[in-house]
Every structure is written in C-alpha cells, then in structure tokens.
Amino acid sequence: MIARKEKLTDMPAWQALVEQYGKTKESHLRDLFEQDPERSSRMSLEAAGLFLDYSKNRVDDETLLRLVALADAVGLRQAIEDMFSGKPVNETEGRSVLHVALRNRSNTPILVNGEDVMPDVSAVLEKMCGFAEQVRSGEWKGHRGKPIRNVVNIGIGGSDLGPLMAYEALKPYSDRNLNVRFISNVDATHVAETVREMDPDETLFVIASKTFTTQETMTNAATARKWIVDAMGDESAVARHFVAVSTSANEVRAFGIDEANMFEFWEWVGGRYSMCSAIGLTLVAGIGPENFIKMLEGFHAMDRHFAEAPFEANMPVLMGLLGIWYNNFFDAQTHAVLPYDQYMHRFAAHLQQLDMESNGKYIDKQGDRVSYHTGPIIWGEPGTNGQHAFYQLIHQGTKMIPADFIGFCESQNQLGDHHDKLMANMIAQTEALAFGKPAKDVEAEGVTGTLIAHKTFEGNRPTNTIMADRLNPFTLGALTALYEHKVFVQGVIWNIFSFDQWGVQLGKVLASKILAEITAEQEPAMIHDSSTNQLLKRYRAKRK
Ligand code: F6P
C-alpha cells in the first residue's frame, strides 16, 4: 500500500469542498432547477441497463467538479486498478479482493499470486450449474429415491443475505415447483418453522459458510442433519441431503459431507461480496443456470462501467461522491434505500451488510482514528409501505436523510392499474422531497394560523432515482454491483479497509464465553460487570 501522505481533511481537494459547502449549503433545489432547465438531462446517466437521475441532489456543477477532484486526489483510479488486478487490497487479512473475477464474463485472465483464477472460477460455476440442473430436473434423488422439492440454504450474513435477496427479487424467474428457503438465525424457531411442513425425503440442505465454523450456521446445520438422520434412520442419508459451499474442505469433511458434494470458493471472495460465487448455489437451483448467468452478466456490465467510465460519468463513483457530500459535509447520519418493487423487499437488508460491515470503521489504513465520519447507517423498505410509516420524518423531520428511489418501468404482475399507481407514488415522492410546498402555496389554499407552518414542506431533501425497464436477472446484477462499487469508492476516500470485519469478532468471543457460563453445572464465578452478571444469573435461574 502506498501510504497516504496527507490526512483526508487536510487535502486541498477536501478543503475546496469545505469552501464549496460554505458557499452553497443554503442553495435550494427549487432555485437550482429554475436556473437551469437542462439540469435533469445533464445530471442523468445510463449504464448497464440502469438509468440514474441524480439531479435532485444539493449540488451544482462546481460541487460535482470538486467531488470528482477529490476522487482523483485520493488515487481512486489506482485503487480500482489494484482491486481489479488482484493486488492484496484487503491488507489486514493479506488477501486479494476479486469478486469481479466471479462474474468476469469476458474470461480475461485475473491473477492472484501470479496464477490465473479464471479456470477455477469457470469450473466451479459449471459444477454449480450441473448440480442445479440435476436438482431441478428431479435427477438428483434423496436417500430413499424421492426427487428434491425443497432446497434449504443454511448460512448467515454474506452466506445468506445476497442469495436470499436475489432469490426474492427474481422469484418470477424461479421454478415455482421448487420450494426454496433460507435459514440463518440461531434461534431454533427459524429452523423449526422452516422445516415444519417439509418432507425430509424431498429436502436438500445447502450448508453455506465460507469458514464452516460460524456458530449459527453450524448449529442449524447440526439440527438439520439430525432431522434427516432421525427421519431416515441412517447416517449415510447425509450424502444425498446435504451439500456444502465453503473455502474449507477440512471442516466440510469433518461435518460428514462428501467432498464431491462440496462447492468451493476462495479466500479472495469476501462474505458480503460472495453471491456470485458458489454461495449462490441455492439461487442457481431456484432461478436456473441461464438466469444466474444473466445476473452475472449484469454484474459484469457494471464492473466494466466502473472500471472504464470517466469519474464524472461513472455511476458508482458519482453515487459514492454524493454520499460523501451528505455524510461528511451535511452531517447526514443515514442513507435510505427505497425500492418501489415488492420483490426487492430484502434489498436494503443485503445493502446493510454490504455497506455497514465494509465501511463501519473508525480506524484508517495507517491505524489511526479517523477525525471524520465514515459509513452511514443504511436502511429502507419497499415503497409504498414506507410512505405510510417513516416518510413523515424524511419530509418534515430535523434530520437530513438522503435517499435512493429505485423503480422499474414494467411490472412483473400486470394487474389493473397497480403499477402506474406504484410508479406515480415513487416519482411524486422525489418531487415532494426536492421542492416541498412553500407557505404561500399553503396560504393560497385558505389555510390560516399555525396550521400554515404544519402544512408547509421545506423541501430540499436530496434523492437519487434509479430506473430500469424491468427487474430481471441482468438489472439485479447491475444494481447490486453498483452498490458494491459505491461502497468501495467511499472506503477509498475515507482511507479505511473496506474488506475486513474485525468489529464482529468481540461479540462472537464473548458469546462463546457466556454460553459456557450459562450451561455450566456449577454456578460460575461472576466475573463480568454487574449488569452482565445480573442478566446471566437471571437467565440461568429461569431457563428451562
Ligand atoms: O458477521 C461476520 C461474518 O464473518 C460475515 O462477514 C460473513 O458473511 C458471515 O459472518 C458468515 O460467515 P461464514 O460464511 O464464514 O459462515
């Protein structure tokens, strides 16, 4: 790594933005639009089947220029090249970061330690597709000869959220005869309720875990294993009802899964960036190889756009920079992602891990505490439900909440006028948030007294709008890659390591200590603080 010479906030490019913020912070979108009739067409772009309108952001041309200058000043171009060419940019774990290799549809060589990873990537993809076909066609039989009707993914975090999100988003493309489910929580309710109606003879579990040691996943896997073995009365049934996705052949073998039924991926694939790897096995089974490959093509199209487009016309770069503008200059704490599509109902959940596990860090690459805010809180729900829940705060609350609105021109379910109403709501919200409703318009409606203030909308709430013709495997891939790269851009600017996740370790270690104390025969020595001791004691006394 080339150590950054200057602190981010001391850089002239940063200082130029501080100055620009001082000059423009009061500008209103109403005026910006009035002054420039071409604003929306100038501040829009298309890439990989996605259309982005970023004109409803609190920026003028000069701000955009200065934001792009910041990207140049922090060496973003070099950082992109380093990641795409397999340099070990995940320095704290000494790993390359090559999720882009998983969807490298041009098959150009990508080297890790001098070795091209593409032949292995292609071989695993082929194996996944072949296996998925066997399950979908009924050729893969359970231990007692029945075809598989339930495919159950057991994984957590990146080994759950990406495939789950994509399976839900692409349900119209799935084989509806196959019941695809996901178990993640260590709460027994999740496994119990999932298998309640299932016939073990027709059920296949995909144990998805990069490490194959994650407590939640291994606990759920052991319970599922017992469920199968108890039902069949035969240990050897495991071979036909379990497959594994992991980087660790040893752990998979130790669990009792035949290595032939293991789908490999590699250390250079981060958990939250792994849905295009074998971690997508359940998804391939659900939507079929052809659709999975179309999704990879969408990812790849966005990867190429990110790697090649100039920054001022680069979708992930612009979205990343706009996020910096609000996070670091306007002090916005959160960022909402609001898809106007019911099938996208787990998209924000996936982005939460992607963004918050990547950029939720206060230590910079030199090991110093940063003096500026890093990753925002990501949240969101599908429209229109959010409108009747939390949009009040976005419109009239005291906090700035930049938001991404995501919509599709064609519905997956052409029923009456539902889709026109859905899209009318999405477009209207971005208009209302940007332009608000001035007091004079409220008065003109005959409103008097204090009600005028209550019914006034300041507006000037920033939004991006992303539109695609249709939610399909390709656009979902492009959309997901767009956010992956946006997160990367921001991590580079904040000078933090986006591909490790040390912050999740402490809780894991303490949980295993406390578990031993909960289950100890003898009352354990109460060695924690008084609150933790009290909770532990109370639970020990009352647990069944
Ligand atoms: O929450 C920490 C984490 O390591 C995530 O980064 C990862 O996606 C998840 O746990 C699951 O890990 P594994 O795939 O090794 O079970």
Side-chain angles (χ1 to χ4, degrees):
M1 179 191 65
I2 305 163
R4 201 183 267 178
K5 288 187 201 79
E6 269 173 304
K7 229 177 97 179
L8 175 65
T9 48
D10 292 341
M11 287 180 154
W14 187 271
Q15 285 304 320
L17 283 162
V18 173
E19 186 200 39
Q20 182 69 1
Y21 172 72
K23 275 195 210 153
T24 62
K25 63 178 185 234
E26 306 297 344
S27 312
H28 200 291
L29 283 165
R30 263 181 228 139
D31 304 318
L32 293 171
F33 271 85
E34 220 170 81
Q35 287 154 15
D36 178 7
E38 306 295 313
R39 182 176 168 91
S40 62
S41 55
R42 285 192 312 101
M43 294 192 185
S44 296
L45 84 135
E46 286 198 70
L50 305 181
F51 173 77
L52 167 69
D53 178 341
Y54 60 97
S55 62
K56 292 192 182 99
N57 280 289
R58 290 172 66 169
V59 289
D60 59 17
D61 291 343
E62 183 59 29
T63 308
L64 286 170
L65 276 177
R66 293 184 185 203
L67 284 167
V68 168
L70 176 69
D72 287 326
V74 298
L76 179 61
R77 182 61 67 197
Q78 185 62 49
I80 296 172
E81 268 174 46
D82 288 351
M83 177 172 74
F84 276 69
S85 62
K87 296 237 171 77
V89 298
N90 176 2
E91 287 187 29
T92 63
E93 296 180 312
R95 293 174 184 167
S96 302
V97 174
L98 273 179
H99 41 280
V100 294
L102 303 167
R103 61 265 187 146
N104 173 16
R105 303 305 299 157
S106 57
N107 243 332
T108 44
I110 296 184
L111 307 184
V112 174
N113 299 327
E115 245 183 70
D116 183 11
V117 298
M118 288 317 298
D120 282 352
V121 168
S122 305
V124 173
L125 180 60
E126 208 174 300
K127 183 173 168 184
M128 288 163 68
C129 293
F131 175 76
E133 284 298 12
Q134 279 186 38
V135 172
R136 288 163 69 86
S137 66
E139 191 190 328
W140 180 279
K141 300 273 190 311
H143 181 62
R144 292 193 290 216
K146 276 199 173 181
I148 297 302
R149 291 199 49 243
N150 310 303
V151 178
V152 183
N153 192 82
I154 297 184
I156 197 164
S159 301
D160 168 73
L161 285 163
L164 166 61
M165 174 282 285
Y167 176 70
E168 290 296 321
L170 300 177
K171 222 171 224 171
Y173 298 83
S174 70
D175 178 352
R176 303 283 187 158
N177 294 317
L178 211 57
N179 179 27
V180 175
R181 302 291 296 275
F182 292 80
I183 298 173
S184 51
N185 199 336
V186 76
D187 183 342
T189 302
H190 207 175
V191 59
E193 284 296 337
T194 306
V195 301
R196 181 178 294 275
E197 309 273 306
M198 290 181 184
D199 175 355
D201 278 302
E202 300 178 334
T203 304
L204 175 81
F205 292 96
V206 176
I207 313 300
S209 174
K210 184 171 171 180
T211 53
F212 232 71
T213 55
T214 303
Q215 185 200 51
E216 293 89 336
T217 300
M218 298 330 292
T219 305
N220 282 322
T223 301
R225 191 181 195 283
K226 185 169 181 319
W227 184 69
I228 289 288
V229 171
D230 286 354
M232 317 268 164
D234 187 350
E235 282 279 331
S236 65
V238 170
R240 303 303 299 171
H241 293 272
F242 285 83
V243 297
V245 179
S246 186
T247 55
S248 174
N250 289 344
E251 300 287 348
V252 169
R253 241 181 279 117
F255 183 84
I257 296 178
D258 190 337
E259 244 180 275
N261 296 335
M262 171 179 161
F263 296 80
E264 189 197 4
F265 67 116
W266 307 273
E267 280 197 338
W268 42 262
V269 183
R272 51 198 176 273
Y273 297 87
S274 65
M275 62 183 270
C276 298
S277 73
I279 287 292
L281 186 63
T282 302
L283 178 62
V284 197
I287 63 172
E290 212 177 298
N291 285 317
F292 188 77
I293 285 166
K294 282 191 186 135
M295 185 188 81
L296 298 185
E297 284 163 0
F299 270 96
H300 182 61
M302 184 53 75
D303 292 346
R304 293 321 312 156
H305 166 75
F306 179 52
E308 289 159 15
F311 289 166
E312 61 278 9
N314 190 311
M315 218 180 260
V317 173
L318 286 171
M319 283 178 58
L321 290 171
L322 289 164
I324 299 274
W325 183 232
Y326 299 123
N327 189 70
N328 295 97
F329 295 90
F330 285 86
D331 274 335
Q333 299 284 319
T334 81
H335 188 102
V337 180
L338 308 167
Y340 277 64
D341 189 301
Q342 191 57 32
Y343 288 119
M344 295 281 283
H345 69 112
R346 296 304 284 159
F347 193 59
H350 173 61
L351 296 191
Q352 267 175 347
Q353 189 202 11
L354 178 67
D355 202 321
M356 294 165 80
E357 205 172 76
S358 296
N359 285 345
K361 311 206 169 136
Y362 57 73
I363 295 296
D364 71 13
K365 289 184 179 173
Q366 281 68 48
D368 299 323
R369 202 179 205 292
V370 297
S371 59
Y372 41 84
H373 280 301
T374 58
I377 298 155
I378 302 293
W379 60 287
E381 284 290 325
T384 56
N385 295 12
Q387 289 175 210
H388 296 272
F390 51 78
Y391 278 35
Q392 164 65 38
L393 186 147
I394 308 183
H395 283 286
Q396 285 188 319
T398 54
K399 297 180 174 66
M400 178 199 258
I401 316 246
D404 296 345
F405 284 74
I406 303 170
F408 302 93
C409 299
E410 284 170 46
S411 170
Q412 311 274 9
N413 293 293
Q414 290 289 358
L415 276 180
D417 60 357
H418 283 257
H419 199 63
D420 292 341
K421 286 178 176 159
L422 176 72
M423 292 301 281
N425 271 283
M426 182 186 90
I427 296 167
Q429 286 297 326
T430 70
E431 185 181 25
L433 286 164
F435 303 106
K437 186 171 181 180
K440 66 173 175 35
D441 292 4
V442 179
E443 279 176 71
E445 286 172 357
V447 179
T448 55
T450 53
L451 256 191
I452 297 170
H454 291 294
K455 292 192 165 194
T456 297
F457 290 67
E458 280 173 1
N460 221 13
R461 269 63 176 163
T463 61
N464 288 311
T465 304
I466 301 169
M467 266 197 202
D469 292 351
R470 194 182 171 89
L471 174 55
N472 58 29
F474 186 93
T475 45
L476 183 75
L479 201 51
T480 310
L482 166 63
Y483 280 93
E484 288 179 354
H485 297 318
K486 172 201 157 173
V487 168
F488 177 78
V489 168
Q490 296 188 335
V492 171
I493 292 173
W494 289 322
N495 190 33
I496 53 178
F497 287 122
S498 298
F499 297 104
D500 59 20
Q501 55 285 318
W502 299 109
V504 298
Q505 294 308 324
L506 178 62
K508 286 187 193 173
V509 172
L510 290 182
S512 58
K513 268 196 196 156
I514 291 179
L515 178 62
E517 290 163 345
I518 285 173
T519 53
E521 292 270 316
Q522 306 285 325
E523 171 95 357
M526 290 290 161
I527 53 164
H528 304 270
D529 60 276
S530 63
S531 165
T532 309
N533 286 342
Q534 165 177 272
L535 298 172
L536 179 55
K537 246 186 171 161
R538 189 177 175 85
Y539 178 66
R540 265 185 67 94
K542 290 180 182 272
R543 75 191 264 266
K544 293 228 168 77

